[in-house]
Coordinates of all heavy atoms in Angstrom, one line a residue:
M176 N 58.3 35.9 -1.8 CA 57.7 37.3 -1.8 C 57.4 37.7 -0.3 O 56.8 36.9 0.4 CB 56.5 37.3 -2.6 CG 55.8 38.6 -2.7 SD 54.3 38.6 -3.7 CE 53.7 40.3 -3.5
K177 N 57.7 38.9 0.0 CA 57.4 39.4 1.4 C 55.9 39.6 1.5 O 55.2 39.9 0.5 CB 58.1 40.6 1.7 CG 57.7 41.9 1.0 CD 58.5 43.1 1.5 CE 58.0 44.3 0.7 NZ 56.8 44.9 1.2
I178 N 55.4 39.5 2.7 CA 53.9 39.7 3.0 C 53.6 41.2 2.9 O 54.3 42.0 3.6 CB 53.6 39.1 4.3 CG1 53.7 37.6 4.3 CG2 52.1 39.5 4.7 CD1 53.5 37.0 5.7
P179 N 52.7 41.6 2.1 CA 52.4 43.0 2.0 C 51.7 43.5 3.2 O 51.0 42.8 3.9 CB 51.4 43.1 0.8 CG 51.3 41.7 0.2 CD 51.8 40.8 1.2
K180 N 52.0 44.8 3.5 CA 51.4 45.4 4.7 C 50.1 46.2 4.2 O 49.9 46.4 3.0 CB 52.4 46.4 5.4 CG 53.6 45.7 5.9 CD 54.3 46.5 7.0 CE 55.3 45.7 7.7 NZ 56.4 45.2 6.9
C181 N 49.4 46.7 5.2 CA 48.2 47.4 4.9 C 48.5 48.6 3.9 O 47.7 48.9 3.0 CB 47.5 48.0 6.2 SG 46.8 46.7 7.2
R182 N 49.6 49.2 4.1 CA 50.0 50.3 3.2 C 50.1 49.8 1.8 O 49.6 50.5 0.9 CB 51.4 50.8 3.7 CG 51.5 52.3 3.6 CD 53.0 52.7 3.9 NE 53.6 53.0 2.6 CZ 53.5 54.2 2.0 NH1 52.7 55.1 2.6 NH2 54.1 54.5 0.9
D183 N 50.7 48.7 1.6 CA 50.9 48.1 0.2 C 49.5 47.8 -0.3 O 49.2 48.0 -1.5 CB 51.8 46.9 0.3 CG 53.1 47.1 0.9 OD1 53.7 48.1 0.5 OD2 53.5 46.4 1.8
I184 N 48.7 47.2 0.5 CA 47.3 46.8 0.1 C 46.5 48.0 -0.3 O 45.8 48.0 -1.3 CB 46.6 46.0 1.2 CG1 47.4 44.7 1.4 CG2 45.2 45.7 0.8 CD1 47.4 43.7 0.3
S185 N 46.6 49.1 0.5 CA 45.8 50.3 0.1 C 46.2 50.8 -1.2 O 45.4 51.4 -2.0 CB 45.9 51.3 1.2 OG 47.2 51.8 1.3
I186 N 47.5 50.7 -1.5 CA 48.0 51.2 -2.8 C 47.4 50.3 -3.9 O 47.0 50.8 -5.0 CB 49.6 51.1 -2.9 CG1 50.1 52.2 -2.0 CG2 50.1 51.3 -4.3 CD1 51.6 52.1 -1.7
L187 N 47.4 49.0 -3.7 CA 46.8 48.1 -4.7 C 45.3 48.4 -4.9 O 44.8 48.4 -6.0 CB 46.9 46.6 -4.3 CG 48.3 46.0 -4.3 CD1 48.2 44.5 -3.9 CD2 49.0 46.2 -5.6
I188 N 44.6 48.7 -3.8 CA 43.2 49.0 -3.9 C 42.9 50.2 -4.7 O 42.1 50.2 -5.6 CB 42.6 49.1 -2.5 CG1 42.5 47.8 -1.7 CG2 41.2 49.8 -2.6 CD1 42.1 47.9 -0.3
S189 N 43.8 51.2 -4.5 CA 43.6 52.5 -5.3 C 44.0 52.3 -6.7 O 43.4 52.9 -7.6 CB 44.4 53.6 -4.7 OG 44.3 53.6 -3.3
R190 N 45.0 51.4 -7.0 CA 45.6 51.3 -8.3 C 44.8 50.4 -9.2 O 44.8 50.5 -10.4 CB 47.0 50.8 -8.1 CG 48.0 51.3 -9.1 CD 49.2 50.5 -9.2 NE 48.9 49.1 -9.7 CZ 49.7 48.1 -9.5 NH1 50.8 48.2 -8.9 NH2 49.3 46.9 -10.0
Q191 N 44.0 49.4 -8.6 CA 43.4 48.4 -9.4 C 42.4 48.9 -10.4 O 42.1 48.2 -11.4 CB 42.7 47.3 -8.5 CG 41.6 47.9 -7.7 CD 40.9 46.8 -6.8 OE1 41.1 45.6 -7.1 NE2 40.3 47.3 -5.8
H192 N 41.9 50.1 -10.2 CA 40.9 50.7 -11.2 C 41.6 51.2 -12.4 O 41.1 51.3 -13.4 CB 40.1 51.7 -10.5 CG 39.4 51.2 -9.3 ND1 38.2 50.4 -9.4 CD2 39.6 51.3 -7.9 CE1 37.8 50.1 -8.2 NE2 38.6 50.6 -7.3
E193 N 42.9 51.6 -12.2 CA 43.6 52.2 -13.3 C 44.5 51.1 -14.0 O 44.5 51.1 -15.2 CB 44.6 53.3 -12.8 CG 43.9 54.7 -12.6 CD 43.1 54.7 -11.4 OE1 43.5 54.1 -10.4 OE2 42.0 55.3 -11.4
T194 N 45.1 50.3 -13.2 CA 46.0 49.3 -13.8 C 45.6 47.9 -13.3 O 45.5 47.7 -12.1 CB 47.5 49.5 -13.3 OG1 47.7 50.9 -13.4 CG2 48.4 48.8 -14.2
P195 N 45.3 47.0 -14.2 CA 44.9 45.7 -13.7 C 46.0 45.1 -12.9 O 47.2 45.2 -13.2 CB 44.7 44.9 -15.0 CG 44.5 45.9 -16.1 CD 45.3 47.1 -15.6
L196 N 45.6 44.4 -11.8 CA 46.6 43.8 -10.9 C 47.2 42.5 -11.5 O 46.5 41.8 -12.3 CB 46.0 43.5 -9.5 CG 45.4 44.6 -8.8 CD1 44.8 44.2 -7.5 CD2 46.4 45.7 -8.6
T197 N 48.4 42.1 -11.2 CA 48.9 40.9 -11.6 C 48.2 39.8 -10.8 O 47.6 40.1 -9.7 CB 50.4 40.8 -11.4 OG1 50.6 40.8 -9.9 CG2 51.2 41.9 -12.0
P198 N 48.2 38.5 -11.3 CA 47.5 37.5 -10.6 C 48.0 37.4 -9.1 O 47.3 37.2 -8.2 CB 47.9 36.2 -11.4 CG 48.1 36.7 -12.7 CD 48.7 38.1 -12.6
G199 N 49.3 37.5 -8.9 CA 49.9 37.5 -7.6 C 49.4 38.6 -6.7 O 49.0 38.4 -5.5
E200 N 49.3 39.8 -7.3 CA 48.8 41.0 -6.5 C 47.3 40.8 -6.1 O 46.9 41.1 -5.0 CB 49.0 42.2 -7.3 CG 50.4 42.7 -7.4 CD 50.6 43.9 -8.4 OE1 49.7 44.0 -9.3 OE2 51.6 44.6 -8.3
S201 N 46.5 40.3 -7.1 CA 45.1 40.2 -6.7 C 44.9 39.1 -5.7 O 44.0 39.2 -4.9 CB 44.3 40.0 -8.0 OG 44.6 38.7 -8.6
L202 N 45.7 38.1 -5.7 CA 45.7 37.0 -4.7 C 46.0 37.6 -3.3 O 45.2 37.4 -2.4 CB 46.6 35.9 -5.1 CG 46.4 34.6 -4.4 CD1 45.1 34.0 -5.0 CD2 47.6 33.6 -4.6
W203 N 47.0 38.4 -3.2 CA 47.4 39.0 -2.0 C 46.3 39.9 -1.5 O 45.9 40.0 -0.3 CB 48.7 39.8 -2.1 CG 49.9 39.0 -1.9 CD1 50.9 38.9 -2.8 CD2 50.3 38.3 -0.8 NE1 51.9 38.1 -2.3 CE2 51.6 37.7 -1.0 CE3 49.8 38.1 0.5 CZ2 52.2 36.9 -0.1 CZ3 50.4 37.3 1.4 CH2 51.7 36.7 1.1
L204 N 45.7 40.7 -2.4 CA 44.7 41.6 -2.1 C 43.5 40.9 -1.5 O 43.0 41.2 -0.4 CB 44.3 42.4 -3.3 CG 43.1 43.4 -3.2 CD1 43.5 44.5 -2.2 CD2 42.8 44.0 -4.5
R205 N 43.0 39.8 -2.2 CA 41.9 39.1 -1.7 C 42.1 38.4 -0.4 O 41.3 38.5 0.5 CB 41.5 38.0 -2.8 CG 40.2 38.4 -3.5 CD 39.8 37.3 -4.5 NE 40.7 37.3 -5.6 CZ 40.8 36.3 -6.4 NH1 40.0 35.2 -6.3 NH2 41.7 36.3 -7.4
F206 N 43.3 37.9 -0.2 CA 43.7 37.2 1.0 C 43.7 38.2 2.2 O 43.2 38.0 3.2 CB 45.0 36.5 0.9 CG 45.5 35.9 2.1 CD1 44.8 34.8 2.6 CD2 46.6 36.3 2.9 CE1 45.2 34.1 3.8 CE2 47.0 35.7 4.0 CZ 46.3 34.6 4.5
H207 N 44.3 39.4 1.9 CA 44.4 40.4 2.9 C 43.1 40.9 3.3 O 42.8 41.2 4.5 CB 45.3 41.5 2.4 CG 45.6 42.5 3.5 ND1 46.8 42.5 4.2 CD2 45.0 43.6 3.9 CE1 46.8 43.5 5.1 NE2 45.7 44.2 5.0
L208 N 42.2 41.1 2.4 CA 40.8 41.6 2.7 C 40.1 40.7 3.6 O 39.2 41.1 4.3 CB 40.0 41.9 1.4 CG 40.6 43.1 0.6 CD1 39.8 43.3 -0.7 CD2 40.5 44.4 1.4
L209 N 40.4 39.4 3.4 CA 39.7 38.4 4.3 C 40.1 38.6 5.7 O 39.3 38.4 6.6 CB 40.1 37.0 3.8 CG 39.4 36.4 2.6 CD1 39.9 35.0 2.3 CD2 37.9 36.3 2.9
I210 N 41.3 38.9 6.0 CA 41.8 38.9 7.4 C 41.9 40.3 7.9 O 42.1 40.5 9.1 CB 43.2 38.3 7.5 CG1 44.2 39.0 6.6 CG2 43.1 36.8 7.1 CD1 45.6 38.6 6.8
C211 N 41.7 41.4 7.2 CA 41.9 42.7 7.6 C 40.7 43.6 7.4 O 40.3 43.9 6.3 CB 43.1 43.4 6.9 SG 43.5 45.0 7.5
E212 N 40.1 43.9 8.5 CA 38.8 44.7 8.5 C 39.1 46.2 8.0 O 38.4 46.8 7.3 CB 38.2 44.7 9.8 CG 36.7 45.2 9.7 CD 36.1 45.3 11.1 OE1 36.7 44.8 12.1 OE2 35.0 45.8 11.2
G213 N 40.3 46.7 8.5 CA 40.6 48.1 8.1 C 40.7 48.3 6.6 O 40.2 49.2 6.1
C214 N 41.3 47.3 5.9 CA 41.5 47.4 4.5 C 40.1 47.2 3.8 O 39.9 47.7 2.7 CB 42.6 46.5 3.9 SG 44.2 47.1 4.4
R215 N 39.3 46.3 4.3 CA 38.0 46.1 3.8 C 37.2 47.5 3.8 O 36.6 47.9 2.8 CB 37.2 45.1 4.6 CG 37.4 43.7 4.1 CD 36.2 42.8 4.5 NE 35.9 42.8 5.9 CZ 36.5 41.9 6.7 NH1 37.4 41.0 6.3 NH2 36.2 42.0 8.0
N216 N 37.3 48.2 5.0 CA 36.6 49.5 5.1 C 37.2 50.5 4.1 O 36.5 51.2 3.4 CB 36.8 50.0 6.5 CG 36.0 49.3 7.5 OD1 35.0 48.6 7.1 ND2 36.4 49.3 8.7
F217 N 38.5 50.4 3.9 CA 39.2 51.3 3.0 C 38.7 51.1 1.5 O 38.4 52.0 0.8 CB 40.7 51.1 3.0 CG 41.4 52.0 2.0 CD1 41.5 53.4 2.2 CD2 42.0 51.5 0.9 CE1 42.2 54.2 1.3 CE2 42.7 52.3 0.0 CZ 42.7 53.6 0.2
Q218 N 38.5 49.8 1.2 CA 38.1 49.4 -0.1 C 36.6 49.9 -0.4 O 36.3 50.4 -1.4 CB 38.1 47.9 -0.4 CG 38.0 47.6 -1.9 CD 37.8 46.1 -2.1 OE1 37.2 45.4 -1.3 NE2 38.4 45.6 -3.1
N219 N 35.8 49.8 0.7 CA 34.4 50.3 0.6 C 34.4 51.8 0.4 O 33.7 52.3 -0.5 CB 33.7 49.9 1.8 CG 33.3 48.5 1.9 OD1 33.2 47.8 0.9 ND2 33.0 48.0 3.1
N220 N 35.3 52.5 1.1 CA 35.4 53.9 1.0 C 35.8 54.3 -0.4 O 35.2 55.2 -1.0 CB 36.4 54.5 2.0 CG 35.8 54.5 3.4 OD1 34.6 54.3 3.6 ND2 36.7 54.6 4.3
V221 N 36.8 53.6 -1.0 CA 37.2 54.0 -2.3 C 36.1 53.7 -3.3 O 35.8 54.5 -4.2 CB 38.4 53.1 -2.7 CG1 38.8 53.2 -4.2 CG2 39.6 53.5 -1.9
R222 N 35.3 52.6 -3.1 CA 34.3 52.3 -4.0 C 33.2 53.4 -4.0 O 32.7 53.9 -5.0 CB 33.7 50.9 -3.7 CG 33.1 50.2 -4.8 CD 32.7 48.8 -4.4 NE 33.8 47.9 -4.3 CZ 33.7 46.7 -3.6 NH1 32.6 46.4 -3.0 NH2 34.7 45.9 -3.6
V223 N 32.8 53.8 -2.8 CA 31.8 54.8 -2.6 C 32.2 56.2 -3.2 O 31.5 56.8 -4.0 CB 31.4 55.0 -1.1 CG1 30.6 56.3 -0.9 CG2 30.7 53.8 -0.6
M224 N 33.5 56.5 -3.0 CA 34.0 57.8 -3.5 C 34.0 57.8 -5.0 O 33.7 58.7 -5.7 CB 35.4 58.0 -3.0 CG 35.4 58.7 -1.6 SD 37.1 59.3 -1.2 CE 38.1 57.9 -1.3
R225 N 34.5 56.6 -5.6 CA 34.6 56.5 -7.0 C 33.2 56.6 -7.7 O 33.0 57.3 -8.7 CB 35.2 55.2 -7.5 CG 36.7 55.2 -7.3 CD 37.3 53.9 -7.8 NE 37.2 53.9 -9.3 CZ 38.0 54.4 -10.1 NH1 39.1 55.1 -9.7 NH2 37.8 54.4 -11.4
S226 N 32.2 56.0 -7.1 CA 30.8 56.0 -7.7 C 30.3 57.4 -7.6 O 29.6 57.9 -8.4 CB 29.9 55.0 -7.1 OG 29.7 55.2 -5.8
A227 N 30.5 58.1 -6.4 CA 30.1 59.5 -6.3 C 30.7 60.4 -7.3 O 30.1 61.2 -7.9 CB 30.4 60.0 -4.9
F228 N 32.0 60.2 -7.5 CA 32.8 61.0 -8.5 C 32.2 60.7 -9.9 O 32.1 61.7 -10.7 CB 34.2 60.6 -8.4 CG 35.1 61.5 -9.3 CD1 35.2 62.9 -9.1 CD2 35.9 60.9 -10.2 CE1 36.0 63.6 -9.9 CE2 36.7 61.7 -11.0 CZ 36.8 63.0 -10.9
K229 N 31.9 59.5 -10.2 CA 31.4 59.1 -11.5 C 30.1 59.8 -11.7 O 29.8 60.3 -12.8 CB 31.3 57.6 -11.6 CG 31.1 57.2 -13.1 CD 31.1 55.6 -13.1 CE 30.7 55.2 -14.5 NZ 29.3 55.6 -14.9
R230 N 29.2 59.8 -10.7 CA 27.9 60.4 -10.8 C 28.1 61.9 -11.1 O 27.3 62.5 -11.9 CB 27.1 60.2 -9.5 CG 25.7 59.8 -9.7 CD 25.0 59.4 -8.4 NE 25.7 58.4 -7.7 CZ 25.8 58.3 -6.4 NH1 25.3 59.3 -5.6 NH2 26.4 57.4 -5.8
Y231 N 29.0 62.5 -10.4 CA 29.3 63.9 -10.6 C 29.7 64.2 -12.0 O 29.2 65.1 -12.7 CB 30.4 64.3 -9.6 CG 31.0 65.7 -9.8 CD1 30.2 66.8 -9.4 CD2 32.2 65.9 -10.4 CE1 30.7 68.1 -9.6 CE2 32.7 67.1 -10.6 CZ 32.0 68.2 -10.2 OH 32.5 69.5 -10.4
L232 N 30.6 63.3 -12.6 CA 31.0 63.5 -14.0 C 29.8 63.3 -14.9 O 29.7 64.0 -15.9 CB 32.1 62.5 -14.3 CG 33.5 62.8 -13.7 CD1 34.5 61.7 -14.1 CD2 34.0 64.1 -14.0
D233 N 29.0 62.3 -14.7 CA 27.8 62.0 -15.5 C 26.9 63.2 -15.5 O 26.3 63.5 -16.6 CB 27.1 60.8 -15.1 CG 27.9 59.5 -15.4 OD1 28.9 59.6 -16.2 OD2 27.6 58.4 -14.8
Q234 N 26.7 63.8 -14.4 CA 25.8 65.0 -14.3 C 26.3 66.1 -15.2 O 25.6 66.8 -15.8 CB 25.7 65.5 -12.9 CG 24.7 64.7 -12.0 CD 24.8 65.1 -10.6 OE1 25.5 66.0 -10.2 NE2 24.0 64.5 -9.7
G235 N 27.7 66.2 -15.2 CA 28.3 67.3 -16.0 C 28.0 67.2 -17.4 O 27.9 68.2 -18.1
K236 N 27.8 65.9 -17.9 CA 27.6 65.7 -19.3 C 26.2 66.3 -19.8 O 26.0 66.5 -21.0 CB 27.6 64.2 -19.7 CG 29.0 63.7 -19.8 CD 29.0 62.2 -20.1 CE 30.2 61.5 -19.5 NZ 29.9 60.1 -19.2
D237 N 25.3 66.4 -18.9 CA 23.9 66.8 -19.2 C 23.9 68.3 -19.6 O 22.9 68.7 -20.3 CB 22.9 66.5 -18.1 CG 22.8 65.0 -17.8 OD1 23.1 64.3 -18.8 OD2 22.4 64.7 -16.7
H238 N 24.8 69.1 -19.2 CA 24.8 70.5 -19.4 C 25.3 70.9 -20.7 O 26.2 70.2 -21.2 CB 25.5 71.2 -18.3 CG 24.8 71.0 -16.9 ND1 23.6 71.5 -16.6 CD2 25.2 70.2 -15.9 CE1 23.3 71.1 -15.4 NE2 24.2 70.3 -15.0
Ligands
ZN31 ZN1 45.1 45.7 6.0

């Protein structure tokens, strides 16, 4: 298997919330996050954005 690039990893990061990753993909993701600060930051951003979006949706339910 070829080594995934940051681009591939960012796709996995965005996708893992919708579609569970295969064991191979999650292994690559974890390994890449260990060595790549850029993708760690990207994952944090996705996490923050998702929780902000969820809070926004939850607020909508109150009305
Ligand atoms: Zn990376």
